[in-house]
Amino acid sequence: MSMRENQYIKPETVAANTSQNAERAVLYSFQRYETKYLLNQEQYRELLPLLRTRLTQDAGGVYTVCNIYYDTDNFDLIRASIEKPVYKEKFRLRSYGIPDENGIVFAEIKKKFNGIVYKRRIDASPAEIRALIGKGTELKREQQIQRELRCFFRRYRPAPKAFIGYERLALVGREDADLRVTFDWNVRWRDRDLDICAGDYGKPLFEDDRVVMEVKTAAAIPLWLVSLLSQRRIYSTGFSKYGTCYQRYLAQQKFGKGRVKIYA
């Protein structure tokens, strides 16, 4: 199943609805722990039905996630992130499905401090987002987040550097709504045509068909899930899609460095 609805407002919503006139209840600011795992197909097929006994599929089903990552000319943001500092931050545009000019795009600042992820974002049409980050044109809401965006852009003066897209399946805890587990596959990238409305095409990021699993929680990962993963020798990793794209491809193009594999 592939979602291609322009008004699809999936993630981090209180109530998902694909109707063009749907009243959205989007979370614009939140914090949580995010832990990533890289699965092969055998692990994915074994784990998914076990998780479904305690989690239910998100209302959105399977959907496409499109991202445009911004960075400095010398990729200072991702280079700093790869060093695993106590604090790091990045900026991206994100859409759920491929938006047209009447669709919805999120402008997001994502920060991580002492293992806790903080996300601040605002949503608008592609044209409004371009005006916001390109000309400083204000929207009539979420003023604090807009101030943070302007500060970020004044400090780094970033530009679009990479598109990264993938298909996603999201599961939510039956008893704990703060527990989310996502599976991303068919991860692809490109470094041209960097407009969020330009489609979801790209080259494969991986050389195989592995799946990126992410566990998102408000506190510690539940013991039952820790046990489930450890019994199957599934261990967390400091993986980053944009970081992998940079190390394997973008750095080589920019600096002439060889490819660096950062996953097993």
Side-chain angles (χ1 to χ4, degrees):
M1 178 179 178
S2 178
M3 303 301 295
R4 288 291 186 275
E5 300 201 32
N6 295 327
Q7 293 296 325
Y8 188 57
I9 315 277
K10 168 66 236 38
E12 277 48 274
T13 56
V14 177
N17 194 318
T18 58
S19 170
Q20 184 171 357
N21 298 315
E23 180 179 355
R24 290 173 290 129
V26 181
L27 298 180
Y28 294 102
S29 178
F30 53 91
Q31 65 185 61
R32 63 190 179 195
Y33 293 91
E34 298 181 351
T35 308
K36 295 178 181 177
Y37 306 80
L38 287 174
L39 309 180
N40 57 40
Q41 283 293 316
E42 181 179 355
Q43 290 172 318
Y44 171 66
R45 288 192 295 267
E46 179 183 7
L47 188 60
L48 183 59
L50 297 174
L51 290 176
R52 287 187 184 278
T53 64
R54 289 179 175 263
L55 298 96
T56 184
Q57 185 166 310
D58 198 294
V62 176
Y63 51 94
T64 300
V65 182
C66 299
N67 304 278
I68 301 291
Y69 284 88
Y70 281 58
D71 213 322
T72 67
D73 184 58
N74 287 322
F75 295 94
D76 295 307
L77 291 169
I78 191 57
R79 290 168 67 188
S81 177
I82 290 170
E83 296 299 322
K84 308 297 182 185
V86 173
Y87 173 83
K88 57 184 178 180
E89 59 185 343
K90 62 184 176 183
F91 174 82
R92 68 189 175 200
L93 300 183
R94 169 170 285 192
S95 67
Y96 299 91
I98 304 172
D100 61 17
E101 290 300 330
N102 295 315
I104 297 296
V105 174
F106 292 87
E108 300 182 345
I109 294 178
K110 190 174 182 180
K111 307 177 182 182
K112 190 172 185 179
F113 178 68
N114 276 343
I116 303 177
V117 172
Y118 302 86
K119 187 182 290 188
R120 308 276 284 169
R121 67 185 183 178
I122 190 167
D123 66 318
S125 71
E128 289 173 318
I129 292 295
R130 293 188 195 105
L132 172 65
I133 65 178
K135 302 177 182 178
T137 304
E138 290 190 7
L139 302 175
K140 295 181 180 179
R141 54 189 170 79
E142 303 299 332
Q143 295 298 317
Q144 176 57 34
I145 296 178
Q146 291 186 70
R147 285 192 288 270
E148 293 179 28
L149 286 172
R150 288 194 294 271
C151 181
F152 184 95
F153 271 74
R154 283 196 301 267
R155 179 179 181 185
Y156 295 109
R157 299 188 181 278
K161 293 298 181 182
F163 164 88
I164 296 180
Y166 40 87
E167 271 60 65
R168 169 169 286 184
L169 169 65
L171 304 178
V172 183
R174 297 179 188 273
E175 299 179 357
D176 180 6
D178 289 329
L179 173 61
R180 292 175 60 86
V181 178
T182 60
F183 296 95
D184 300 338
W185 64 92
N186 190 22
V187 184
R188 51 209 182 267
W189 74 280
R190 66 176 187 263
D191 61 353
R192 58 186 178 85
D193 206 9
L194 297 179
D195 187 289
I196 197 70
C197 299
D200 65 347
Y201 72 93
K203 303 175 184 178
L205 184 63
F206 298 135
E207 296 171 345
D208 55 24
D209 56 358
R210 65 186 57 212
V211 176
V212 181
M213 181 180 78
E214 193 164 1
V215 177
K216 307 173 184 183
T217 60
I221 297 177
L223 289 178
W224 67 265
L225 183 51
V226 172
S227 177
L228 188 69
L229 297 175
S230 62
Q231 289 172 7
R232 286 153 185 82
R233 298 183 179 181
I234 297 174
Y235 305 114
S236 62
T237 177
F239 174 80
S240 161
K241 298 183 186 77
Y242 178 44
T244 300
C245 180
Y246 168 75
Q247 289 190 295
R248 290 176 61 85
Y249 303 107
L250 301 177
Q252 181 182 20
Q253 296 172 9
K254 176 68 176 180
F255 305 108
K257 296 179 180 179
R259 294 170 61 196
V260 179
K261 291 187 178 182
I262 62 172
Y263 60 88

